[in-house]
Amino acid sequence: MQFPRRMRAAAAVVTLMVLASCSPAERETATPPDAKKGGSATVIEANVLSSFNPASTAGNTDLNLKIGHATHSGFFSVDKNAAVVRNESFGRIEKISDDPLRVRYTVNEGVQWSDGDEVGAGDLLLSWAANSGYYDDVDAAAKTGTRYFTPAASTGGLGLTALPEMGEDGRSITLTYAGAFVDWETAFDVGMPAHVVAAKSGLADEDALIKLLQDAPRGNRALPKENAPLQAVAAFWNAGFESRTLPEDPALYLSNGPYIVQDLVAGESVTLIRNRDFTWGAEPYLDQITVRSQGSPASAVEAVKNGDADAASVQVSAATGDLFQGLNPESTTTDFTTQWAYDHLDLNFSGVFADRTVREAFLKAVPRQDIADAMVSDSSLPGVVLDSQVFFPTDVKYQEAVESNGSAAYGSPDVQGSRELLNGATPTVRILYNRDSPNRVRAFGLIRDSASSAGFNVVDGGLSDAEWGSALGRGSYDASLLGWISTGAGVSRFSQIFRTGAGSNFTAFSDPSADLLLDQLVGTSDEAEQDSILAQLDKKIWSSAYGLPLYQSTTAAVRKDSFAGVESSPGPLGIWQSLPAWYREAK
C-alpha cells in the first residue's frame, strides 16, 4: 500500500489518548441506513490491559492505548491517512502568535469525567507537567538530581515551553515556546484526571495540585533540589494507574470518552459500557464491547469463525498463512493492513553491551532474513528485511538512505566474523521479549540459535504479555525484541526513542550529535530538509551498533459481516480507529 507522504518511520505507541474526530452533527448525517442502535460486540486482541495510563512509560502498550482511546477524548485525533483532525466538540486549539510561538487550549463547557468532575485547566496543567520535563534536574553522568514524571513520549516541543498561563475561565491554558517547533499542533493534549492524582498523592484537592505545579521551580541540573510533594504526584502519575484487575476505587479508571470500563479480568478480558453522558465527540452505536485477550492467532480466528467473537486483530506471520482460508467469504471479511510499525532488536548500552565490539559481534550473528521470512503469511514469498532505523520502504528517502547508512554490514548473518570479534570470549546475553507473541517467540529462537553458534550464551528473558512492557528500561536484560508503531503525524516522535534520556529510550543510547540533529529536525517544516536530517540520524544510529530493524508488521482484521462500520488503520489503533462507527446490522 502507499503511505502518506507525511508518514515517517515508526516511533513508540503514541501517548496522546484521543477520540475519533467527527462532531455529533456530522455523525448523525453519516448514519448508515442499516445501522442498529445499541447492542454489544466481542472483539479479540492479542494483548492484555495493564494500565489505565498509556501515556506513562510502563503503560505505553498496545491494548492500553486502545482502551485509552475508547475511554478518553481530546482536542484532536490522527486519522488513518496521518492527517490531524481537530475535535471542536471537545475544545479549541488556537495559535496566538508565531514569534514567540504561543498556543492556547480551551476545553468546552460541559466536558466532564465520568464521576461528574469537569475537565478543566487543572487537567491540562497536569498533562503539561507530566510530559514537559520542566521540573527535572537529573544529571545522568553525575548521577545527581531527580526525574519526576516518566512519560513514554519525548518531552520534545513541550520541553521548550515555559510554565503555562492559566485562563481565568478555569478551562484553558496557554503554552509559550522558547523556539520554533514544527509539530506544535500535536504536541499536547489532556491526559489523566488532576483531581484524582491530587487526592491519591496526598494533596488536599486539585487547587493544591495546581498551586504545587505553579510554585515549583524549573529544574536546574547545576543546583538539584528534591521536591517531595512533587515526587509523590509524579510517582502516582507514573504507576498509580497500573492494574491488571478492576480497581476497587472507580477513580482509578475514570472516563471522559465514549465508553467506561465496567469490568477487568486479569489477562482475560475487559468490558466497556457506553458513557451515556458523552456528547463531546462522535457518539457510538454499541452499548457494550467485550475485549478478550487471546495471544494465539489460530484461537482468535477460530472464535470469529465459530461466532464466539465478532472481530479479531491478528498479527500476520508464516504460521498464520492458512488460518484465513477456512472462513466463509459470504459472512466474514478479512482485511490485511501493512502497519506504520516495525519489529526490531535493541541492545542496551550497558553491561555486556557497553563494549561496541561486543554489540557489533552480536548483531553480525542475527539472521534478519530468516526472521523476515518467518513473518510472511505466504511462505512461498520472500520476507522483506527493513534496512533503515527511521524510514520505511515507501518513504521517498528510503533507498538513498539505505545505500549509505551502514546497514549493508548486517545484510546476512556473519557467524565467522562474529567469532573473530569475540576472540574466544563467550558473553552471556539475556533477551527480553513478549513470550505470548508467536512472532517474538519465533524471532527469539532464530536469534538464539545463530548467536549461540558464534559463541554467545543466550538466555531466554521472555516475560508474559502483562509483564514484559513494564520491564523495558529497567536493566534486567541486555537486549530486547519489541515493536514501534506510529500515528504517522509529524517528526518530533523520533526524539521519543533516540534522544538522550527520552522516555522510550530504553537502551540508554546517547549521542550529542544525534541530539543536535533531533533539535534541528523539530525546528524545520521543510520536508526535504527533514529527510536530509533523518538520513544523517539513520547513519549515526547504525554506526553505533544500536540494534537492528527486522521487518515491517502486517495485521489481519477478521470480522463478521453483521458487525459493520469496522475499518483498519495502519496506525497504533488498528480497527479501533473506527470505534464510533461500529454497529450491528439491523435485522
Side-chain angles (χ1 to χ4, degrees):
M1 63 173 289
Q2 285 294 317
F3 287 87
R5 178 64 185 86
R6 295 300 305 162
M7 199 287 296
R8 301 293 187 183
V13 172
V14 66
T15 56
L16 293 176
M17 295 168 289
V18 296
L19 180 66
S21 57
C22 60
S23 70
E26 292 170 328
R27 163 63 194 288
E28 189 62 34
T29 62
T31 301
D34 53 353
K36 180 181 179 181
K37 298 283 187 179
S40 62
T42 297
V43 177
I44 295 181
E45 291 284 342
N47 301 305
V48 301
L49 184 71
S50 60
S51 174
F52 295 101
N53 181 11
S56 67
T57 295
N60 187 35
T61 62
D62 176 67
L63 189 58
N64 293 345
L65 173 76
K66 291 171 179 175
I67 299 303
H69 172 76
T71 57
H72 288 75
S73 56
F75 291 102
F76 69 94
S77 62
V78 178
D79 69 16
K80 65 179 183 179
N81 297 313
V84 177
V85 187
R86 296 189 186 183
N87 179 12
E88 295 190 356
S89 296
F90 177 89
R92 301 185 307 282
I93 306 174
E94 305 166 273
K95 185 199 279 189
I96 299 171
S97 65
D98 286 305
D99 190 13
L101 176 59
R102 302 184 73 233
V103 185
R104 180 187 295 128
Y105 297 82
T106 305
V107 180
N108 292 344
E109 290 188 65
V111 177
Q112 63 183 32
W113 297 101
S114 49
D115 63 355
D117 199 278
E118 289 194 353
V119 177
D123 302 302
L124 299 178
L125 183 64
L126 174 61
S127 181
W128 169 84
N131 290 283
S132 66
Y134 179 85
Y135 306 102
D136 294 346
D137 54 20
V138 64
D139 186 330
K143 297 182 179 181
T144 59
T146 303
R147 185 183 183 202
Y148 292 93
F149 297 93
T150 55
S154 166
T155 57
L158 293 184
L160 299 171
T161 57
L163 183 70
E165 301 169 31
M166 304 280 284
E168 294 182 1
D169 56 11
R171 294 181 287 106
S172 65
I173 66 170
T174 299
L175 304 183
T176 301
Y177 289 78
F181 184 65
V182 66
D183 291 339
W184 62 268
E185 193 175 18
T186 57
F188 177 76
D189 212 336
V190 71
M192 306 309 292
H195 65 291
V196 173
V197 173
K200 296 297 184 179
S201 56
L203 298 176
D205 51 28
E206 185 174 328
D207 288 339
L209 173 59
I210 292 173
K211 181 173 176 24
L212 172 65
L213 296 177
Q214 289 180 321
D215 291 347
R218 182 189 285 272
N220 184 345
R221 289 193 302 173
L223 296 170
K225 185 177 181 180
E226 186 175 317
N227 186 326
L230 183 61
Q231 276 189 314
V233 168
F236 186 82
W237 187 93
N238 294 338
F241 293 98
E242 294 179 20
S243 184
R244 290 172 174 79
T245 57
L246 192 71
E248 293 184 4
D249 187 353
L252 296 179
Y253 53 95
L254 293 184
S255 167
N256 67 1
Y259 288 95
I260 300 171
V261 174
Q262 182 187 53
D263 193 22
L264 171 60
V265 180
E268 295 184 14
S269 65
V270 187
T271 303
L272 306 172
I273 57 172
R274 184 172 175 175
N275 182 355
R276 296 292 178 179
D277 295 323
F278 178 78
T279 59
W280 44 91
E283 297 179 49
Y285 294 107
L286 297 175
D287 289 335
Q288 179 173 309
I289 300 172
T290 299
V291 185
R292 285 169 42 196
S293 298
Q294 177 55 261
S296 165
S299 297
V301 173
E302 189 68 18
V304 177
K305 180 180 179 180
N306 294 338
D308 295 328
D310 298 287
S313 295
V314 178
Q315 194 77 39
V316 172
S317 73
T320 62
D322 299 329
L323 288 183
F324 313 104
Q325 296 178 10
L327 297 170
N328 184 349
E330 296 183 0
S331 61
T332 309
T333 298
T334 302
D335 293 324
F336 292 91
T337 303
T338 302
Q339 293 182 289
W340 299 336
Y342 67 101
D343 265 37
H344 50 106
L345 170 71
D346 293 349
L347 308 185
N348 291 354
F349 282 60
S350 60
V352 66
F353 285 136
D355 186 337
R356 187 197 180 285
T357 300
V358 181
R359 294 200 302 274
E360 183 181 356
F362 190 79
L363 298 182
K364 278 183 174 293
V366 175
R368 288 202 296 153
Q369 186 62 65
D370 290 346
I371 294 171
D373 287 342
M375 304 309 153
V376 179
S377 58
D378 182 348
S379 57
S380 67
L381 299 174
V384 178
V385 172
L386 186 63
D387 282 325
S388 173
Q389 302 276 5
V390 300
F391 295 111
F392 281 140
T394 45
D395 281 324
V396 174
K397 192 74 171 181
Y398 177 80
Q399 195 56 50
E400 181 183 338
V402 167
E403 291 172 1
S404 61
N405 64 9
S407 59
Y410 306 99
S412 300
D414 181 4
V415 173
Q416 181 58 36
S418 179
R419 286 199 197 102
E420 291 173 359
L421 286 172
L422 289 179
N423 195 28
T426 56
T428 295
V429 175
R430 177 181 293 273
I431 301 180
L432 171 69
Y433 66 97
N434 181 356
R435 70 181 182 210
D436 292 327
S437 165
N439 285 6
R440 304 273 167 77
V441 170
R442 180 66 174 142
F444 168 76
L446 290 168
I447 293 171
R448 176 199 58 210
D449 294 347
S450 184
S452 296
S453 65
F456 286 94
N457 175 31
V458 179
V459 177
D460 188 334
L463 296 175
S464 70
D465 184 71
E467 300 171 307
W468 81 275
S470 60
L472 285 168
R474 297 191 176 180
S476 60
Y477 59 93
D478 305 297
S480 56
L481 281 166
L482 66 160
W484 294 134
I485 187 166
S486 168
T487 61
V491 294
S492 58
R493 64 187 183 279
F494 293 101
S495 295
Q496 182 173 338
I497 307 170
F498 301 118
R499 182 181 293 281
T500 300
S504 296
N505 180 348
F506 301 123
T507 67
F509 169 72
S510 179
D511 184 329
S513 60
D515 291 343
L516 180 60
L517 287 172
L518 291 166
D519 289 339
Q520 295 171 354
L521 183 64
V522 299
T524 180
S525 59
D526 182 89
E527 291 190 7
E529 181 62 21
Q530 288 177 351
D531 281 345
S532 175
I533 293 170
L534 285 170
Q536 295 175 63
L537 179 65
D538 198 21
K539 186 177 294 187
K540 285 188 177 297
I541 297 167
W542 279 100
S543 67
S544 73
Y546 171 93
L548 297 172
L550 299 173
Y551 58 91
Q552 195 170 349
S553 307
T554 299
T555 60
V558 184
R559 68 172 178 85
K560 289 291 186 183
D561 289 347
S562 58
F563 180 43
V566 180
E567 292 187 11
S568 296
S569 165
L573 294 174
I575 63 172
W576 291 79
Q577 181 84 49
S578 60
L579 171 64
W582 294 359
Y583 68 92
R584 286 284 187 189
E585 293 277 6
K587 295 183 179 180

CSV table of all heavy atoms in Angstrom, one decimal, residues 297-344:
chain,number,residue,atom,x,y,z
A,297,PRO,N,-3.1,-16.7,17.4
A,297,PRO,CA,-3.9,-16.3,16.2
A,297,PRO,C,-4.9,-17.3,15.8
A,297,PRO,O,-6.0,-17.0,15.4
A,297,PRO,CB,-2.8,-16.1,15.2
A,297,PRO,CG,-1.5,-15.8,15.9
A,297,PRO,CD,-1.7,-16.7,17.2
A,298,ALA,N,-4.5,-18.6,15.9
A,298,ALA,CA,-5.5,-19.6,15.5
A,298,ALA,C,-6.7,-19.6,16.3
A,298,ALA,O,-7.9,-19.7,15.8
A,298,ALA,CB,-4.8,-21.0,15.6
A,299,SER,N,-6.6,-19.4,17.6
A,299,SER,CA,-7.7,-19.4,18.5
A,299,SER,C,-8.6,-18.1,18.3
A,299,SER,O,-9.8,-18.2,18.3
A,299,SER,CB,-7.3,-19.4,20.0
A,299,SER,OG,-6.6,-20.6,20.3
A,300,ALA,N,-7.9,-17.0,17.9
A,300,ALA,CA,-8.6,-15.8,17.7
A,300,ALA,C,-9.5,-15.9,16.4
A,300,ALA,O,-10.7,-15.5,16.4
A,300,ALA,CB,-7.6,-14.6,17.5
A,301,VAL,N,-8.9,-16.4,15.3
A,301,VAL,CA,-9.6,-16.6,14.1
A,301,VAL,C,-10.8,-17.6,14.3
A,301,VAL,O,-11.9,-17.5,13.7
A,301,VAL,CB,-8.7,-17.0,13.0
A,301,VAL,CG1,-9.5,-17.4,11.7
A,301,VAL,CG2,-7.7,-15.9,12.7
A,302,GLU,N,-10.5,-18.7,15.0
A,302,GLU,CA,-11.5,-19.7,15.2
A,302,GLU,C,-12.7,-19.2,16.0
A,302,GLU,O,-13.8,-19.5,15.7
A,302,GLU,CB,-10.9,-20.9,16.0
A,302,GLU,CG,-11.8,-22.1,16.1
A,302,GLU,CD,-11.9,-22.8,14.8
A,302,GLU,OE1,-11.2,-22.6,13.8
A,302,GLU,OE2,-12.9,-23.6,14.7
A,303,ALA,N,-12.4,-18.2,16.9
A,303,ALA,CA,-13.5,-17.6,17.7
A,303,ALA,C,-14.5,-16.8,16.8
A,303,ALA,O,-15.7,-16.9,16.9
A,303,ALA,CB,-13.0,-16.7,18.8
A,304,VAL,N,-13.9,-16.1,15.8
A,304,VAL,CA,-14.8,-15.4,14.8
A,304,VAL,C,-15.5,-16.4,13.9
A,304,VAL,O,-16.7,-16.2,13.7
A,304,VAL,CB,-13.9,-14.4,14.0
A,304,VAL,CG1,-14.8,-13.7,13.0
A,304,VAL,CG2,-13.2,-13.4,14.9
A,305,LYS,N,-14.8,-17.4,13.5
A,305,LYS,CA,-15.4,-18.4,12.6
A,305,LYS,C,-16.6,-19.1,13.3
A,305,LYS,O,-17.6,-19.4,12.6
A,305,LYS,CB,-14.3,-19.4,12.2
A,305,LYS,CG,-14.8,-20.5,11.3
A,305,LYS,CD,-13.7,-21.5,11.0
A,305,LYS,CE,-14.1,-22.6,10.1
A,305,LYS,NZ,-13.0,-23.6,9.8
A,306,ASN,N,-16.4,-19.4,14.6
A,306,ASN,CA,-17.5,-20.1,15.3
A,306,ASN,C,-18.6,-19.2,15.8
A,306,ASN,O,-19.5,-19.7,16.4
A,306,ASN,CB,-16.9,-20.9,16.4
A,306,ASN,CG,-16.0,-22.0,15.9
A,306,ASN,OD1,-16.1,-22.5,14.8
A,306,ASN,ND2,-15.1,-22.5,16.8
A,307,GLY,N,-18.4,-17.9,15.7
A,307,GLY,CA,-19.4,-17.0,16.2
A,307,GLY,C,-19.2,-16.6,17.6
A,307,GLY,O,-20.1,-16.0,18.2
A,308,ASP,N,-18.1,-17.0,18.2
A,308,ASP,CA,-17.9,-16.6,19.6
A,308,ASP,C,-17.3,-15.2,19.8
A,308,ASP,O,-17.2,-14.7,20.8
A,308,ASP,CB,-16.8,-17.6,20.2
A,308,ASP,CG,-17.4,-19.0,20.3
A,308,ASP,OD1,-18.6,-19.1,20.5
A,308,ASP,OD2,-16.6,-19.9,20.2
A,309,ALA,N,-16.9,-14.6,18.6
A,309,ALA,CA,-16.4,-13.2,18.6
A,309,ALA,C,-16.9,-12.6,17.3
A,309,ALA,O,-17.1,-13.2,16.3
A,309,ALA,CB,-14.9,-13.1,18.8
A,310,ASP,N,-17.0,-11.2,17.3
A,310,ASP,CA,-17.4,-10.5,16.1
A,310,ASP,C,-16.2,-10.0,15.3
A,310,ASP,O,-16.4,-9.8,14.1
A,310,ASP,CB,-18.2,-9.3,16.6
A,310,ASP,CG,-19.5,-9.7,17.3
A,310,ASP,OD1,-20.4,-10.2,16.6
A,310,ASP,OD2,-19.5,-9.5,18.5
A,311,ALA,N,-15.1,-9.8,15.9
A,311,ALA,CA,-13.9,-9.4,15.2
A,311,ALA,C,-12.6,-9.8,16.0
A,311,ALA,O,-12.7,-10.0,17.2
A,311,ALA,CB,-13.9,-7.9,15.0
A,312,ALA,N,-11.5,-9.9,15.3
A,312,ALA,CA,-10.3,-10.2,15.9
A,312,ALA,C,-9.1,-9.5,15.1
A,312,ALA,O,-9.2,-9.4,13.9
A,312,ALA,CB,-10.0,-11.7,15.9
A,313,SER,N,-8.2,-9.0,15.9
A,313,SER,CA,-7.0,-8.4,15.3
A,313,SER,C,-5.8,-9.4,15.4
A,313,SER,O,-5.5,-9.8,16.5
A,313,SER,CB,-6.6,-7.1,15.9
A,313,SER,OG,-7.6,-6.1,15.7
A,314,VAL,N,-5.2,-9.8,14.3
A,314,VAL,CA,-4.2,-10.9,14.3
A,314,VAL,C,-2.9,-10.4,13.7
A,314,VAL,O,-3.0,-9.8,12.6
A,314,VAL,CB,-4.7,-12.1,13.5
A,314,VAL,CG1,-3.7,-13.2,13.5
A,314,VAL,CG2,-6.0,-12.6,14.2
A,315,GLN,N,-1.8,-10.6,14.3
A,315,GLN,CA,-0.5,-10.3,13.7
A,315,GLN,C,-0.2,-11.4,12.8
A,315,GLN,O,-0.2,-12.6,13.1
A,315,GLN,CB,0.6,-10.2,14.8
A,315,GLN,CG,1.9,-9.6,14.4
A,315,GLN,CD,1.7,-8.1,14.3
A,315,GLN,OE1,1.1,-7.4,15.1
A,315,GLN,NE2,2.4,-7.5,13.3
A,316,VAL,N,0.2,-11.0,11.5
A,316,VAL,CA,0.4,-11.9,10.5
A,316,VAL,C,1.8,-12.5,10.6
A,316,VAL,O,2.8,-11.8,10.9
A,316,VAL,CB,0.2,-11.3,9.1
A,316,VAL,CG1,0.7,-12.2,8.0
A,316,VAL,CG2,-1.3,-10.9,8.9
A,317,SER,N,2.0,-13.8,10.3
A,317,SER,CA,3.3,-14.4,10.3
A,317,SER,C,3.2,-15.6,9.3
A,317,SER,O,2.1,-15.9,8.8
A,317,SER,CB,3.8,-14.9,11.7
A,317,SER,OG,3.0,-16.0,12.1
A,318,ALA,N,4.3,-16.4,9.2
A,318,ALA,CA,4.2,-17.5,8.3
A,318,ALA,C,3.2,-18.6,8.9
A,318,ALA,O,2.6,-19.3,8.2
A,318,ALA,CB,5.6,-18.2,8.2
A,319,ALA,N,3.1,-18.6,10.2
A,319,ALA,CA,2.2,-19.5,10.9
A,319,ALA,C,0.7,-19.2,10.7
A,319,ALA,O,-0.1,-20.1,10.9
A,319,ALA,CB,2.5,-19.6,12.4
A,320,THR,N,0.4,-18.0,10.2
A,320,THR,CA,-1.0,-17.7,10.0
A,320,THR,C,-1.5,-17.9,8.6
A,320,THR,O,-2.6,-17.5,8.3
A,320,THR,CB,-1.2,-16.2,10.5
A,320,THR,OG1,-0.5,-15.3,9.6
A,320,THR,CG2,-0.9,-16.0,11.9
A,321,GLY,N,-0.6,-18.4,7.7
A,321,GLY,CA,-0.9,-18.4,6.3
A,321,GLY,C,-2.2,-19.1,5.9
A,321,GLY,O,-2.9,-18.7,5.0
A,322,ASP,N,-2.5,-20.2,6.6
A,322,ASP,CA,-3.7,-21.0,6.3
A,322,ASP,C,-4.9,-20.7,7.1
A,322,ASP,O,-6.0,-21.2,6.9
A,322,ASP,CB,-3.4,-22.5,6.4
A,322,ASP,CG,-2.3,-22.9,5.5
A,322,ASP,OD1,-2.2,-22.4,4.4
A,322,ASP,OD2,-1.5,-23.9,5.9
A,323,LEU,N,-4.7,-19.8,8.1
A,323,LEU,CA,-5.8,-19.6,9.1
A,323,LEU,C,-7.0,-18.9,8.5
A,323,LEU,O,-8.2,-19.2,8.9
A,323,LEU,CB,-5.3,-18.7,10.2
A,323,LEU,CG,-4.4,-19.3,11.2
A,323,LEU,CD1,-4.0,-18.3,12.3
A,323,LEU,CD2,-4.9,-20.5,11.9
A,324,PHE,N,-6.8,-18.1,7.5
A,324,PHE,CA,-7.9,-17.3,6.9
A,324,PHE,C,-8.7,-18.0,5.8
A,324,PHE,O,-9.7,-17.5,5.3
A,324,PHE,CB,-7.4,-16.0,6.5
A,324,PHE,CG,-6.5,-15.3,7.5
A,324,PHE,CD1,-5.1,-15.3,7.3
A,324,PHE,CD2,-7.0,-14.7,8.6
A,324,PHE,CE1,-4.3,-14.7,8.2
A,324,PHE,CE2,-6.2,-14.1,9.5
A,324,PHE,CZ,-4.9,-14.1,9.4
A,325,GLN,N,-8.1,-19.2,5.4
A,325,GLN,CA,-8.7,-19.8,4.2
A,325,GLN,C,-10.0,-20.6,4.5
A,325,GLN,O,-10.8,-20.8,3.6
A,325,GLN,CB,-7.7,-20.8,3.6
A,325,GLN,CG,-6.4,-20.0,3.0
A,325,GLN,CD,-5.4,-21.0,2.5
A,325,GLN,OE1,-5.6,-22.2,2.3
A,325,GLN,NE2,-4.2,-20.4,2.2
A,326,GLY,N,-10.2,-20.9,5.8
A,326,GLY,CA,-11.4,-21.7,6.1
A,326,GLY,C,-12.6,-20.8,6.5
A,326,GLY,O,-13.6,-21.3,6.9
A,327,LEU,N,-12.4,-19.5,6.4
A,327,LEU,CA,-13.5,-18.6,6.7
A,327,LEU,C,-14.5,-18.5,5.6
A,327,LEU,O,-14.1,-18.5,4.4
A,327,LEU,CB,-12.9,-17.2,7.0
A,327,LEU,CG,-12.0,-17.1,8.2
A,327,LEU,CD1,-11.3,-15.8,8.3
A,327,LEU,CD2,-12.8,-17.4,9.5
A,328,ASN,N,-15.8,-18.3,5.9
A,328,ASN,CA,-16.8,-18.2,4.9
A,328,ASN,C,-16.8,-16.8,4.3
A,328,ASN,O,-17.1,-15.8,5.0
A,328,ASN,CB,-18.2,-18.5,5.6
A,328,ASN,CG,-19.3,-18.5,4.5
A,328,ASN,OD1,-19.1,-18.1,3.4
A,328,ASN,ND2,-20.5,-19.0,5.0
A,329,PRO,N,-16.5,-16.6,3.0
A,329,PRO,CA,-16.4,-15.3,2.4
A,329,PRO,C,-17.7,-14.6,2.3
A,329,PRO,O,-17.8,-13.4,2.1
A,329,PRO,CB,-15.8,-15.6,1.0
A,329,PRO,CG,-16.1,-17.0,0.7
A,329,PRO,CD,-16.1,-17.7,2.1
A,330,GLU,N,-18.8,-15.4,2.5
A,330,GLU,CA,-20.2,-14.8,2.3
A,330,GLU,C,-20.6,-14.2,3.6
A,330,GLU,O,-21.6,-13.4,3.7
A,330,GLU,CB,-21.2,-15.9,1.9
A,330,GLU,CG,-20.9,-16.4,0.5
A,330,GLU,CD,-21.9,-17.4,0.1
A,330,GLU,OE1,-22.9,-17.7,0.8
A,330,GLU,OE2,-21.8,-17.9,-1.1
A,331,SER,N,-19.9,-14.5,4.7
A,331,SER,CA,-20.3,-13.9,6.0
A,331,SER,C,-19.2,-13.3,6.8
A,331,SER,O,-19.4,-12.7,7.9
A,331,SER,CB,-21.0,-15.0,6.9
A,331,SER,OG,-20.0,-16.1,7.1
A,332,THR,N,-17.9,-13.4,6.3
A,332,THR,CA,-16.8,-13.0,7.0
A,332,THR,C,-15.9,-12.2,6.1
A,332,THR,O,-15.7,-12.5,4.9
A,332,THR,CB,-16.0,-14.1,7.6
A,332,THR,OG1,-16.9,-15.0,8.4
A,332,THR,CG2,-14.9,-13.7,8.6
A,333,THR,N,-15.3,-11.1,6.6
A,333,THR,CA,-14.4,-10.3,5.9
A,333,THR,C,-13.0,-10.2,6.6
A,333,THR,O,-13.0,-10.1,7.8
A,333,THR,CB,-14.9,-8.8,5.7
A,333,THR,OG1,-16.1,-8.9,5.0
A,333,THR,CG2,-13.9,-7.9,5.0
A,334,THR,N,-11.9,-10.3,5.8
A,334,THR,CA,-10.6,-10.2,6.3
A,334,THR,C,-9.8,-9.1,5.6
A,334,THR,O,-9.8,-9.1,4.4
A,334,THR,CB,-9.8,-11.5,6.2
A,334,THR,OG1,-10.5,-12.6,6.8
A,334,THR,CG2,-8.4,-11.4,6.8
A,335,ASP,N,-9.4,-8.1,6.3
A,335,ASP,CA,-8.6,-7.0,5.8
A,335,ASP,C,-7.2,-7.1,6.2
A,335,ASP,O,-6.9,-7.1,7.4
A,335,ASP,CB,-9.2,-5.7,6.2
A,335,ASP,CG,-10.6,-5.4,5.6
A,335,ASP,OD1,-10.8,-5.8,4.5
A,335,ASP,OD2,-11.4,-4.8,6.3
A,336,PHE,N,-6.2,-7.1,5.3
A,336,PHE,CA,-4.8,-7.1,5.6
A,336,PHE,C,-4.3,-5.7,5.5
A,336,PHE,O,-4.5,-5.0,4.5
A,336,PHE,CB,-4.0,-8.0,4.7
A,336,PHE,CG,-4.4,-9.5,4.8
A,336,PHE,CD1,-5.4,-10.1,4.1
A,336,PHE,CD2,-3.7,-10.3,5.8
A,336,PHE,CE1,-5.7,-11.4,4.3
A,336,PHE,CE2,-4.0,-11.6,5.9
A,336,PHE,CZ,-5.0,-12.2,5.2
A,337,THR,N,-3.5,-5.2,6.5
A,337,THR,CA,-3.0,-3.9,6.5
A,337,THR,C,-1.5,-3.9,6.9
A,337,THR,O,-1.1,-4.4,7.9
A,337,THR,CB,-3.8,-3.0,7.6
A,337,THR,OG1,-5.2,-3.0,7.3
A,337,THR,CG2,-3.3,-1.6,7.5
A,338,THR,N,-0.7,-3.3,6.0
A,338,THR,CA,0.7,-3.0,6.4
A,338,THR,C,0.7,-1.9,7.3
A,338,THR,O,0.3,-0.8,7.0
A,338,THR,CB,1.5,-2.7,5.1
A,338,THR,OG1,1.4,-3.8,4.2
A,338,THR,CG2,3.0,-2.5,5.5
A,339,GLN,N,1.3,-2.1,8.5
A,339,GLN,CA,1.2,-1.1,9.5
A,339,GLN,C,2.4,-0.1,9.4
A,339,GLN,O,3.4,-0.3,8.8
A,339,GLN,CB,1.3,-1.7,10.9
A,339,GLN,CG,0.1,-2.6,11.3
A,339,GLN,CD,0.2,-3.1,12.7
A,339,GLN,OE1,1.0,-4.0,12.9
A,339,GLN,NE2,-0.6,-2.6,13.6
A,340,TRP,N,2.2,1.1,10.1
A,340,TRP,CA,3.2,2.0,10.3
A,340,TRP,C,4.0,1.6,11.5
A,340,TRP,O,4.1,2.2,12.5
A,340,TRP,CB,2.7,3.4,10.5
A,340,TRP,CG,1.9,4.0,9.4
A,340,TRP,CD1,2.0,3.6,8.0
A,340,TRP,CD2,0.9,4.9,9.4
A,340,TRP,NE1,1.1,4.3,7.3
A,340,TRP,CE2,0.4,5.1,8.1
A,340,TRP,CE3,0.3,5.7,10.4
A,340,TRP,CZ2,-0.6,6.0,7.8
A,340,TRP,CZ3,-0.7,6.6,10.1
A,340,TRP,CH2,-1.1,6.8,8.8
A,341,ALA,N,4.5,0.3,11.4
A,341,ALA,CA,5.1,-0.3,12.5
A,341,ALA,C,6.2,-1.3,12.1
A,341,ALA,O,6.2,-1.8,11.0
A,341,ALA,CB,4.1,-1.1,13.3
A,342,TYR,N,7.2,-1.5,13.0
A,342,TYR,CA,8.2,-2.5,12.7
A,342,TYR,C,8.7,-3.1,13.9
A,342,TYR,O,8.7,-2.5,15.0
A,342,TYR,CB,9.4,-1.9,11.9
A,342,TYR,CG,10.2,-0.8,12.7
A,342,TYR,CD1,11.4,-1.2,13.2
A,342,TYR,CD2,9.8,0.5,12.8
A,342,TYR,CE1,12.2,-0.3,13.9
A,342,TYR,CE2,10.5,1.4,13.5
A,342,TYR,CZ,11.7,1.0,14.0
A,342,TYR,OH,12.5,2.0,14.7
A,343,ASP,N,9.2,-4.4,13.8
A,343,ASP,CA,9.8,-5.1,14.9
A,343,ASP,C,11.3,-4.9,14.8
A,343,ASP,O,11.9,-4.7,13.7
A,343,ASP,CB,9.5,-6.6,14.9
A,343,ASP,CG,8.3,-6.9,15.8
A,343,ASP,OD1,7.4,-6.1,15.8
A,343,ASP,OD2,8.3,-8.0,16.4
A,344,HIS,N,12.0,-4.9,16.0
A,344,HIS,CA,13.4,-4.6,16.0
A,344,HIS,C,14.0,-5.2,17.2
A,344,HIS,O,13.4,-5.6,18.2
A,344,HIS,CB,13.6,-3.1,16.0
A,344,HIS,CG,12.9,-2.3,17.0
A,344,HIS,ND1,13.5,-1.8,18.1
A,344,HIS,CD2,11.6,-2.0,17.1
A,344,HIS,CE1,12.5,-1.2,18.9
A,344,HIS,NE2,11.4,-1.3,18.2
